[in-house]
Amino acid sequence: MDNLQMAPIIIGKLLNISGMLQRHSNNITQPFGLNQQQFTIFFEIANAGKVKQKDMVNRLLLEKAHVSKVVKKLHKMELITITTSDEDKRSAWLAPTPEGKKILKKCRGEFRKWHKEWTEAFDDKQLNSILENISHLQAVFEDKLIGGNL
Amino acid sequence: MDNLQMAPIIIGKLLNISGMLQRHSNNITQPFGLNQQQFTIFFEIANAGKVKQKDMVNRLLLEKAHVSKVVKKLHKMELITITTSDEDKRSAWLAPTPEGKKILKKCRGEFRKWHKEWTEAFDDKQLNSILENISHLQAVFEDKLIGGNL
DNA sequence: CTTTTTTAGTTGCCAAGGAAACTATATTAA
DNA sequence: TTAATATAGTTTCCTTGGCAACTAAAAAAG
């Protein structure tokens, strides 16, 4: 099979896999009142400790409008605090609340269970190879799709 | 790095990649009045030549409600024909119209251009490795996520 | 300084797509 | 043959998230 025949199959499978992943991730995060994307944003906030919306947009390559709405939701759920900064009054610092940290820990535990389960089907070498391949793909697509033209 | 550390990174990157892919695919299909998912369904119909909605649902693992709506749209756009079958009056055969085939060909051409571009960043061996890894992932997730419990 | 431009975030609008309830036909069981 | 169940597809409701227009503040240009 030559490269051009493989390309659409690879893309198709990636889209298919991510559909399954999203649906499953949603199922994991749903009990916590969040979906996968929302949880990712929450997770990034907690991981960074103190960030602005702008950072989320840059790091996760999401729509700023979308991030804004999710931040609102997280705040309403009292999972994060929003502290207006003095240096730049346009933006505010985001940080997880103690309650938020608790939720996060629980949810990460659920994810860990699942990860434990599916990684059983692979050995170390395979996982390393997968990680390497996917990182390469990610770098190329980021370059071609974001940096490149669009 | 051990397996459990790699797992969330792999999942995260997969989700990130697929986000980029979806956005880019949408840009390719948009001029034809379709989005990526809609095009995938259309493509499946054309590929099979003659199918029922049920087949799409099984093959693409999509919501039947969603497929139903997309089929309606494709029919309205006169890209497919819907022929009620005599054997089973609940379902109808779907097939691409000549116009639909033309659109499909053009759109596939656009995809081919893009595939040509991004595959340049990889050699044969890498692409083969990627395809192998991704196929394995797909099989495992299908098994664990669909067959398994959820 | 004042004006222009850029940046951070918000809001409103709309299509996409998931979930559930529903309709109509087919299949199975009694 | 009739009643119960299963299947194909539709409709409805609702959340999500992309896009564009907007506000307010900051930075750059004049």
Side-chain angles (χ1 to χ4, degrees), chain A residues 53-54 64 68 72 90-91:
Chain A
Q53 290 193 29
K54 184 187 69 163
K64 60 179 182 172
S68 170
K72 275 240 164 67
R90 288 171 305 179
S91 53

Side-chain angles (χ1 to χ4, degrees), chain B residues 54-120:
Chain B
K54 183 187 69 161
D55 307 321
M56 304 284 103
V57 172
N58 292 338
R59 248 181 264 174
L60 303 173
L61 299 172
L62 299 170
E63 281 286 316
K64 60 181 182 172
H66 181 211
V67 172
S68 169
K69 287 173 205 163
V70 174
V71 163
K72 274 241 164 66
K73 180 175 182 180
L74 294 173
H75 188 231
K76 206 172 171 186
M77 291 173 74
E78 299 185 1
L79 299 176
I80 60 168
T81 57
I82 300 180
T83 323
T84 44
S85 81
D86 285 336
E87 322 109 54
D88 189 338
K89 281 173 190 167
R90 289 170 306 178
S91 53
W93 293 107
L94 310 174
T97 62
E99 176 62 15
K101 283 182 190 168
K102 255 189 260 174
I103 297 281
L104 202 77
K105 199 174 171 186
K106 270 195 214 164
C107 196
R108 289 177 74 175
E110 292 301 315
F111 271 108
R112 207 169 301 121
K113 273 187 213 163
W114 171 49
H115 291 319
K116 212 163 191 167
E117 205 184 313
W118 74 259
T119 48
E120 274 172 13

Side-chain angles (χ1 to χ4, degrees), chain A residues 57 80 85:
Chain A
V57 172
I80 60 167
S85 81

Side-chain angles (χ1 to χ4, degrees), chain A residues 14-15 18-19 22, chain B residues 13-23:
Chain A
L14 279 172
L15 289 171
S18 70
Q22 267 184 35
Chain B
K13 279 176 187 279
L14 279 171
L15 289 171
N16 178 259
I17 289 172
S18 69
M20 292 193 281
L21 292 183
Q22 267 184 34
R23 261 169 269 147

Side-chain angles (χ1 to χ4, degrees), chain A residues 68-114:
Chain A
S68 170
K69 285 171 202 166
V70 174
V71 163
K72 275 240 164 67
K73 180 174 182 179
L74 293 174
H75 188 232
K76 207 171 167 187
M77 290 173 75
E78 301 187 359
L79 298 176
I80 60 167
T81 57
I82 300 180
T83 323
T84 44
S85 81
D86 284 336
E87 322 108 54
D88 189 337
K89 282 173 191 168
R90 288 171 305 179
S91 53
W93 293 106
L94 311 175
T97 61
E99 175 63 16
K101 283 183 190 169
K102 256 189 261 175
I103 296 282
L104 202 78
K105 199 173 171 187
K106 270 195 216 164
C107 196
R108 288 177 76 175
E110 292 302 314
F111 271 109
R112 206 169 303 119
K113 272 188 215 162
W114 171 48

